[in-house]
Every structure is written in structure tokens, then in C-alpha cells.
Amino acid sequence: MEWILAYFTLSLSIGGVYSDTTVTIHSQWLAQGGSARYDSNRWNKHNGLDQESLIPKCRSLRTDGGRWNNNGLSYRLFADWPEDPNRSGYPDPSYLKNATKQKELFSVYLANINTGYENDMIMMSEALKWPNWLNQSEHAGQFPNNVDAAAEFMMLTVQGVYDFTKGQIPPYIEPMNEPDPKFNILNFTTVALFHKSVAEKLHARFNIKVAGPTLDGFARNSDRDNFTDWKKVANFMDVTSDYLDVFSFHSYNSLIVSGKSHKFKGMNEARLVAFVDLVENYAYQKKRKIVPLVISEYGRDTVIGIDKYAPSGIVDFSTIYHSNAHRFTQLGLREYIDRAVVFLLANIQNPYYNWSLFTNEGKPRRVTDVFEFWYKFTSDYSFIRTTSQYDGEERTVSPLAMSSSEHNETVILLHSYSQESQVVKLDFEDDWIKPTTGEATCVTIKDDWYPIITFNEPFDIQKTQGIVELPPEATCHFTFKTPSDQLPNVTLNETTYYGADTLIPIKGNIATTIISLPNGHYNSARLRVSASWPINETNGVSYLTFNLHPLDSFYKLYDANMIGSTTYWEVWEFAVPASLFVTGANQIQVHFSKNMTAGYVSSIALVTAKLVPSDLKS
């Protein structure tokens, strides 16, 4: 279809006028997980294998299929598998040696990876359709009693892919998709043992990363009923931590429509960060290191109030909006998140058509705006440090920044969670660059509830003294030409240290833990506190003490909350002077504004930073 570019004028307030918030852009590259580079292969993939005719169209948007989930692996492959005549209760190892069967099952995958594609594919199995000859009496006829036999199916499937592709197997595999809603047939101990067995068998033969447990609701609702669901996840980690390579889960937000109004609910921003920190804090307690994370589905899921399957501008906009919002959060958590795959599909028939990038005729649908927005960003770009305003309030604008010496430009990216326009002051610390004119690209919603993307709108930021105005619920990037000799010459390397405890009970209005730090020189730090309590209580963090020194410079992450949630799960980020650090145990006390009758601090994360010389300008 043709783009309907309803250009709007980017509102730019004149100097001295009030701003809702300030974003500071520092003259420092920002490295997380050891790298400051933007790696589009980690962030630009979509779900599903692509039809061969659509591969070039996806490539023109700089996106590829990143998760193999629309194939026989999900449905009849296991169910039709014959029994091994020489080993009762196990699959016949000769079944996938049939060349015709291999081509039927694996040819689309091979076509996807043989097109100049960097193969980061995540192979996924539903693991719920099994042959009748397997005894499944303990699991309502839907999962084998013999976990070792079930794992053998996975190993032989990967062997079949290996044989057909001459060794080009996917780098990742998720043995079971979203096991948590299947509690009526599977307990999480069985799920853990299955993953452990699959990992043992695959690692003995192949160079492949095994991921799990591929959570759905247990991720976003981990804190309900005093963290009952989380305790099952923690047990899974106890059983599998020496065997799995990656922890995987899904992250979604929803759309609620009532008359002519709408609102968004779900995991992003606060609950997503809180869950990531809870997983990492628990792993850190057990292994003294972080665990790599994969978010293998994310974006927009539930729609309430209108038909989510019918063509709809507001459904399209919410799909674009949530895809962008989640990516902003993911890019701020690069130290932990190995990669993420948005739940958008190249093309699929109903009921999932509203997640499709292209029509049946191969024409682009509105949701391609997601990849149009991120199109310009490649590995030529690296992250620049930004900070939000520590004003004690919930932030409604999430910032990122990148620069490129190849393109001689700096790009400020802003995502607004507000349904009102947001006036933002861009503060380039110490005037390390003094931009005059620039270009803005924005995705927003118009009065008719349809998404609009506008490209490269010129504006003069010098006249407004650094003020820009974000339209309601907009995602924008602002590009300024920047000579390479003005780009930073230092990199801020961030490393996270977690508290000694998770699920710290709030006693009265205080929760206490310690964070141990190695000897070293630190230039700056920020500390995240995640806390959960019943939704019928009104409370919040008022300040904390770090080695008895009070700190009250903070902001709260945006909380979209969950539909029907019984809890709040909030996250606060504090500025911490590195001068307060001591080698060894550092005591942190979190002080709430009111006494609590119930509730926990789920995790505390101290993100430390060291400045090092950089050659990213070269």
C-alpha cells in the first residue's frame, strides 16, 4: 500500500517555556555487556519463518525471521513419529533420515538462512503433540511419562535438521513453548527435568544453546500470591542452571478500548525491568554471574473492547506502539538481554492477520512502521549515555541516544508513555555539541485512531533552546549532524552487582540488604529497587540509605500495570555517588513512605560504571 504521510508540524516551544522533563545527553559512549555497538541482528528479528517470496520484502525493511515456530515442529512431527522397533517407548531414530521427510519439514528454514542471513534463529517446539504409543497417563494424554524419551524426540529432530542442512542448525532451541499455562497437565518440576534432559542430549552432539523455560504469564505475574509463581520459576532455575545456556520468556502489553478512549496495560516498562532484575538477582545469588536472557516473543497481545482480529487503526497503532516501547526497554538492558524477537509475522492468515507485516498480495501493512522507524540504525551506530530527570516522579518519556562517525550524526530517541503531548528539554551536558537544525522521524496516532509515521521533518532546535515537543504516545528520533571529532573520546562501561537477597520482606516501612563490591575505581552508579505489594495499599519508596548516607534523587519507571492485577510491582532508579562505595559489603536500606502490612523488595541492582578511553570515533 502507499504510505499516507500525514505530516504534522513538530511543535517546538520557544526558549524559556516550561518543559515536562529534561533528558541529559552525556559526552560518553555507553557500553553494556562489554559493547557500545548497536547490533541490529539482536533486535530486528520477527517471529516465524518467511515465505520465500516475502524474504526480499522483509530484507528491504532490514528484518529477518528470528524464530522457527510455524512448522511441523509445533504440530504433527512428534505425533506421527513411529516407535523404535528395537527400543520400546522411544522414537525410531531412522524416521528423519528420510530425505523426502527432511525436505518437507526443513526446506523453508534452509531457504530463510541461505539468503545472506546471519543465522540467529531460535528453534521452538510446542512439545504437546505426541504419538499414541507413548504412555502419557500422568499428563492427561498430552505429555510423555518418560521425560528421557520426550527429550530423545528433540535430539533426533535437531539431528534431522543437521543432516538436511549439512550442519546449519539454529544457534538456539526452546524445547517447550509457554509451559506455565499448561499447569493442569504439567508441573514445573517435570518441565525442568525435560529441559535438563534435552540440554544434556543436545550438548553431547551439537553446538547449540538451549533456552527455557519460555515463560508466558509466570513472567508478568511472578509477584502474585506472595510470589507463588516465581517460586516455581526459581525451582526451575535450581534444577537447570548447570545445563541451560539461556533463560527465555515472553513480554506483552495489551490494548483496552472503551467508546472513543483507549489505554494500554501490561508488562512494559516497570514489570519487565522488575522481572529481569529478579531473574538476574536470583542467578547472581546462585552462580555469582548473570544469565543471558532471550525474549522470544514481545509486543501487543490482548485486545479488550473491540474485535482484535478485525482490521482496525487502533489495533495497528497499539501493535506498533508496544513493539517500539518494549525495544526501548530492552536496549536499556543490553547487559542481560542477549536478543529479542518481536511478535510480528511476515504474513499469516486469520486469526493472526493483525500481526502480519504484509498482505496476502505482498503489500506492506501499517505495522511495518516498526521496522521503518528503526531502519537507519546499523552497527555503524553506538550508544551514548543518557539520563532521565531525577525528580521523584514516574517518568513518562524513555530516552536513548546513538552516534555514528560513519554518518557524522547523533540521534536522540524518545518514547512517550503519555496520552498528552510531552515537552522535553534536551540537555547536551557541558554543550559537548551545540546542534542547530535537525530532522525528526515520529510514529504517533491521529484523531481517527490510525498510526502515522513522518520521516525527516526539519526543525530548528537552536531557536527553541533545546526544547522539543513529543506528540501523544509518540516514538520519535531526532537526528543532528555531528562531526566525528566532536564525538566522545571515553566509554562508560556498566557492570551490575546484585543484592545478597531476593524477596526481602518489608518490615514496617524498611527493607534491608547488602551488595558486595570488588576493589576498584568507579566513576558513577545508579541503583534500581523493585518492590511489590497488594493493590489495595497505597505506598512508594521515599528514600534509601547507602552505607547510612540518605539518598533521595530518584525517578520511578513507568508502570502500565496488568489487567486484573492484584499487586503493584514498581521500580525506582536512584543516583548513587560512587564515593559512597566500600570494598566488600555495602548496606542498603529502602525506606517506604508508609508502614506495610505485606509486600517485598523483590531485587536490588547496583549498576556501576567506569570510564575508559575509547576508539569508537575511528
Side-chain angles (χ1 to χ4, degrees):
M1 76 181 190
E2 295 182 0
W3 293 113
I4 304 172
L5 294 180
Y7 288 99
F8 61 87
T9 300
L10 185 71
S11 298
L12 296 172
S13 307
I14 304 303
V17 174
Y18 164 84
S19 65
D20 294 301
T21 191
T22 296
V23 171
T24 303
I25 305 99
H26 304 265
S27 182
Q28 299 166 355
W29 301 106
L30 179 63
Q32 295 180 342
S35 175
R37 294 282 184 190
Y38 179 83
D39 181 356
S40 61
N41 285 302
R42 290 172 64 184
W43 315 109
N44 258 30
K45 301 293 173 67
H46 59 269
N47 261 257
L49 298 179
D50 299 335
Q51 303 166 29
E52 288 190 59
S53 63
L54 292 179
I55 291 174
K57 294 180 181 293
C58 290
R59 190 64 51 77
S60 71
L61 295 169
R62 289 185 175 157
T63 181
D64 297 291
R67 189 165 182 251
W68 184 359
N69 62 353
N70 50 346
N71 58 82
L73 294 174
S74 302
Y75 303 108
R76 295 296 309 178
L77 171 59
F78 292 173
D80 294 339
W81 205 307
E83 187 175 14
D84 185 349
N86 301 311
R87 191 183 185 195
S88 177
Y90 280 78
D92 185 346
S94 67
Y95 181 57
L96 280 188
K97 295 185 182 298
N98 181 294
T100 302
K101 193 69 176 176
Q102 288 178 354
K103 184 176 181 181
E104 173 193 341
L105 292 169
F106 309 140
S107 59
V108 177
Y109 163 70
L110 188 60
N112 271 247
I113 66 171
N114 277 353
T115 55
Y117 168 88
E118 180 177 314
N119 187 2
D120 301 309
M121 189 72 72
I122 302 167
M123 181 179 178
M124 181 274 283
S125 174
E126 292 285 355
L128 280 182
K129 308 290 184 183
W130 303 89
N132 293 330
W133 51 262
L134 270 173
N135 186 348
Q136 303 171 63
S137 59
E138 296 174 7
H139 306 292
Q142 297 185 58
F143 190 81
N145 296 356
N146 185 344
V147 170
D148 185 72
E152 193 80 2
F153 281 84
M154 298 300 305
M155 185 275 292
L156 291 174
T157 299
V158 176
Q159 184 68 58
V161 177
Y162 184 94
D163 294 342
F164 180 73
T165 64
K166 297 180 172 57
Q168 297 183 80
I169 61 173
Y172 301 82
I173 186 168
E174 293 176 317
M176 182 179 289
N177 186 53
E178 297 185 348
D180 37 329
K182 306 174 180 75
F183 61 89
N184 56 329
I185 61 168
L186 280 173
N187 64 58
F188 239 60
T189 299
T190 302
V191 172
L193 293 173
F194 174 61
H195 279 78
K196 174 177 177 288
S197 185
V198 169
E200 288 178 311
K201 290 176 183 289
L202 292 179
H203 288 152
R205 290 197 181 196
F206 308 107
N207 180 20
I208 192 169
K209 293 179 180 179
V210 183
T214 319
L215 295 174
D216 180 32
F218 276 16
R220 58 183 176 267
N221 293 312
S222 269
D223 66 327
R224 66 184 168 191
D225 298 329
N226 292 317
F227 287 86
T228 297
D229 291 343
W230 164 252
K231 291 167 186 174
K232 297 173 185 175
V233 177
N235 179 68
F236 175 94
M237 294 175 69
D238 291 342
V239 173
T240 63
S241 62
D242 289 332
Y243 303 92
L244 295 194
D245 305 282
V246 176
F247 185 100
S248 65
F249 68 98
H250 298 163
S251 177
Y252 282 105
N253 280 56
S254 304
L255 165 67
I256 301 174
V257 175
S258 178
K260 291 295 183 180
S261 66
H262 71 277
K263 58 184 175 181
F264 299 132
K265 293 283 189 180
M267 195 168 182
N268 192 56
E269 170 182 42
R271 279 178 177 262
L272 175 52
V273 176
F275 181 72
V276 165
D277 275 341
L278 180 55
V279 170
E280 295 296 355
N281 199 336
Y282 191 77
Y284 193 81
Q285 281 181 251
K286 298 294 182 178
K287 297 292 182 180
R288 307 305 295 175
K289 63 180 182 180
I290 67 167
V291 57
L293 307 177
V294 163
I295 303 176
S296 55
E297 291 181 19
Y298 73 88
R300 189 268 304 164
D301 61 349
T302 304
V303 175
I304 295 175
I306 58 173
D307 184 356
K308 72 176 179 180
Y309 301 123
S312 165
I314 187 61
V315 171
D316 283 349
F317 175 72
S318 67
T319 304
I320 297 164
Y321 175 89
H322 289 316
S323 299
N324 285 332
H326 278 251
R327 194 187 298 201
F328 265 70
T329 307
Q330 293 160 11
L331 292 175
L333 301 171
R334 300 187 312 281
E335 183 180 352
Y336 331 104
I337 299 176
D338 181 70
R339 62 191 58 255
V341 186
V342 67
F343 193 81
L344 293 173
L345 309 148
N347 176 259
I348 197 166
Q349 302 299 317
N350 284 330
Y352 295 107
Y353 183 68
N354 277 341
W355 284 274
S356 290
L357 296 170
F358 299 97
T359 67
N360 295 337
E361 296 74 34
K363 296 181 178 179
R365 296 187 65 252
R366 297 313 303 233
V367 295
T368 57
D369 286 5
V370 173
F371 296 108
E372 292 279 358
F373 180 84
W374 294 96
Y375 182 84
K376 74 179 294 173
F377 300 106
T378 66
S379 58
D380 292 337
Y381 288 83
S382 295
F383 288 93
I384 296 285
R385 179 190 175 200
T386 63
T387 52
S388 295
Q389 185 172 327
Y390 289 99
D391 57 4
E393 302 294 330
E394 180 178 67
R395 76 173 182 182
T396 55
V397 175
S398 176
L400 295 167
M402 290 187 247
S403 289
S404 169
S405 58
E406 293 286 326
H407 301 282
N408 290 318
E409 62 185 31
T410 295
V411 188
I412 313 304
L413 302 92
L414 303 175
H415 176 81
S416 174
Y417 291 105
S418 175
Q419 292 191 333
E420 305 293 333
S421 295
Q422 294 292 293
V423 179
V424 182
K425 168 73 172 177
L426 300 182
D427 177 18
F428 293 89
E429 187 181 41
D430 297 327
D431 291 330
W432 67 274
I433 59 173
K434 297 179 180 180
T436 55
T437 59
E439 294 180 335
T441 292
C442 285
V443 183
T444 189
I445 189 171
K446 300 305 287 182
D447 294 338
D448 56 3
W449 265 9
Y450 276 81
I452 295 295
I453 185 168
T454 61
F455 296 98
N456 304 324
E457 289 268 278
F459 67 95
D460 190 333
I461 197 170
Q462 188 177 42
K463 288 183 179 179
T464 66
Q465 299 181 20
I467 296 287
V468 298
E469 185 173 336
L470 291 180
E473 295 176 323
T475 311
C476 298
H477 58 70
F478 305 92
T479 301
F480 307 101
K481 286 300 179 183
T482 312
S484 60
D485 61 2
Q486 293 183 18
L487 294 178
N489 55 22
V490 293
T491 296
L492 196 72
N493 273 327
E494 290 191 336
T495 302
T496 304
Y497 296 94
Y498 283 96
D501 310 287
T502 56
L503 306 191
I504 308 161
I506 301 169
K507 298 178 180 179
N509 69 334
I510 296 175
T512 303
T513 191
I514 61 169
I515 293 179
S516 294
L517 291 177
N519 185 32
H521 174 74
Y522 304 93
N523 295 96
S524 64
R526 50 196 177 92
L527 186 143
R528 287 193 300 269
V529 177
S530 302
S532 169
W533 63 87
I535 205 163
N536 59 359
E537 293 200 28
T538 302
N539 211 334
V541 172
S542 57
Y543 71 99
L544 62 79
T545 60
F546 194 102
N547 291 331
L548 303 180
H549 294 270
L551 299 174
D552 59 3
S553 181
F554 68 90
Y555 61 83
K556 191 172 78 166
L557 297 191
Y558 181 76
D559 179 21
N561 212 354
M562 300 295 303
I563 297 172
S565 177
T566 58
T567 60
Y568 292 111
W569 201 2
E570 310 276 13
V571 181
W572 295 261
E573 182 165 304
F574 283 78
V576 181
S579 59
L580 300 182
F581 294 176
V582 298
T583 300
N586 293 260
Q587 185 187 66
I588 293 94
Q589 281 193 331
V590 182
H591 295 256
F592 290 82
S593 56
K594 299 177 183 177
N595 285 348
M596 294 281 237
T597 57
Y600 299 87
V601 168
S602 55
S603 64
I604 294 181
L606 180 64
V607 184
T608 66
K610 298 180 180 181
L611 284 171
V612 297
S614 174
D615 61 356
L616 282 173
K617 290 194 295 185
S618 62

